[in-house]
Amino acid sequence: MMKDQKKAYLFGLGAVACWSTVATAFKLSLGYFTPAQLLLVATISSLLLLLGMLAWQGKLTYLARYFRARPGYYLLLGLINPALYYLVLFQAYDRLPAQQAQTLNYTWAITLTLLAVPFLGQKIRKQDGIAIVLGYLGAMVIATRGDLLGLDFEDPLGVALALFSTLLWAGYWILSARNQDDPLVALTLSFLLALPPIVLATALWSDFTLTAWQGWVGAIYVGLFEMGFAFVMWLLAMRYAENTARISNLIFISPFVSLLLLRFLVGEEIYPATLVGLSMIVAALLIQQLRLKPRFANPSKAE
């Protein structure tokens, strides 16, 4: 694929636009579906889209080939993403204001830096240390609504779930970091293998009474745009990019646009502590970007 920075920007902005809307879509959809129901419909929607893309590219046969080569590896990937990751993330959104769940989840890149030490043999440099302290301090500001000394968490379990989701997502990219398989095929296979566990989770912790059309619209939107189109557009942006760092920096637009959408579409009052904490997290991620070269296929993601 020939490099084309203009196309890279267009695809990158498209991905950022998708990610900017999903926190609103999560929160609105959870008013009609349980987290397990939302995950079930979103996963099926995304899977149909991904299978259609593979059929168009003539790569459907790769699914069986990849699975036969490494069945355990792809089963593990599917269990982490989308099954566990989104189930935990949706539970966090169900318990917390969306602005808190989204911004806490945004610290996943800092978690990734920590996990890269034992699992990828990378070292934490001075800039990484500063970013880690600043990022998690920002997370604490958000979680306590600015009451750092009182450590008063409105919903400790919701905060724990949001932070745990960062561990799952970072773990997924650690496992994917050295995977040389076609990324679209790999993602599709992960979603395909995750579907049975997601159906089981829905049967155990929820039900299949999916009558609200609003829930269907929201869940299909999440599946198509958060789990499907955004990934593909970001992948294309990275492949077209002459300078991946410039494209990666586009991701910092997403959380601020998302807060505006939450304010006007969901009606959430944006807490001053959220803005302060988010600014600290973004500053921490910028410190990492300025110092470190991109190390992963999908260097940034926000929800």
Side-chain angles (χ1 to χ4, degrees), residues 61-242:
T61 56
Y62 286 35
L63 293 170
R65 186 190 309 174
Y66 286 6
F67 180 70
R68 284 195 301 267
R70 291 189 290 175
Y73 173 74
Y74 277 107
L75 281 168
L76 180 59
L77 283 185
L79 284 174
I80 296 174
N81 174 47
L84 283 174
Y85 170 67
Y86 280 105
L87 192 59
V88 170
L89 183 64
F90 291 162
Q91 290 282 358
Y93 269 89
D94 204 32
R95 301 183 67 95
L96 296 172
Q99 61 186 285
Q100 288 186 331
Q102 171 204 251
T103 313
L104 291 172
N105 177 255
Y106 206 63
T107 62
W108 78 269
I110 299 170
T111 306
L112 181 60
T113 300
L114 291 171
L115 290 182
V117 175
F119 292 108
L120 296 180
Q122 297 179 0
K123 296 180 180 180
I124 294 182
R125 304 167 192 171
K126 183 183 295 184
Q127 287 81 357
D128 292 318
I130 294 170
I132 289 166
V133 172
L134 185 60
Y136 282 122
L137 187 60
M140 289 293 290
V141 169
I142 293 163
T144 61
R145 293 192 186 181
D147 187 12
L148 282 174
L149 296 178
L151 290 178
D152 183 18
F153 298 96
E154 181 180 356
D155 190 326
L157 179 57
V159 171
L161 289 168
L163 292 175
F164 183 52
S165 74
T166 71
L167 186 64
L168 291 169
W169 187 250
Y172 174 77
W173 284 107
I174 289 287
L175 287 171
S176 302
R178 293 171 180 168
N179 185 7
Q180 298 301 310
D181 291 343
D182 183 293
L184 186 59
V185 179
L187 184 70
T188 306
L189 184 55
S190 297
F191 273 56
L192 191 62
L193 295 172
L195 188 56
I198 291 170
V199 171
L200 179 61
T202 307
L204 290 175
W205 297 318
S206 185
D207 55 57
F208 298 99
T209 308
L210 307 168
T211 56
W213 67 265
Q214 299 95 328
W216 279 95
V217 170
I220 291 171
Y221 180 90
V222 168
L224 294 181
F225 290 93
E226 152 68 2
M227 299 176 175
F229 286 127
F231 174 85
V232 174
M233 284 191 288
W234 191 257
L235 179 63
L236 288 171
M238 291 295 102
R239 290 190 175 181
Y240 275 117
E242 297 170 1

Side-chain angles (χ1 to χ4, degrees), residues 292-303:
L292 301 175
K293 295 179 181 179
R295 295 174 291 186
F296 301 96
N298 183 5
S300 304
K301 179 179 180 294
E303 292 166 335

Side-chain angles (χ1 to χ4, degrees), residues 127-128 130-131 134 282-292:
Q127 287 81 357
D128 292 318
I130 294 170
L134 185 60
V282 168
L285 296 176
L286 282 170
I287 289 171
Q288 286 186 308
Q289 289 253 339
L290 291 172
R291 180 62 182 88
L292 301 175

Side-chain angles (χ1 to χ4, degrees), residues 234-296:
W234 191 257
L235 179 63
L236 288 171
M238 291 295 102
R239 290 190 175 181
Y240 275 117
E242 297 170 1
N243 186 319
T244 56
R246 292 177 185 173
I247 301 302
S248 297
N249 287 336
L250 291 175
I251 201 65
F252 299 117
I253 302 170
S254 177
F256 296 101
V257 174
S258 184
L259 288 180
L260 289 174
L261 294 176
L262 288 171
R263 176 66 184 90
F264 292 109
L265 297 181
V266 179
E268 280 194 10
E269 177 187 354
I270 305 303
Y271 311 132
T274 299
L275 295 173
V276 172
L278 176 58
S279 298
M280 293 170 70
I281 292 169
V282 168
L285 296 176
L286 282 170
I287 289 171
Q288 286 186 308
Q289 289 253 339
L290 291 172
R291 180 62 182 88
L292 301 175
K293 295 179 181 179
R295 295 174 291 186
F296 301 96

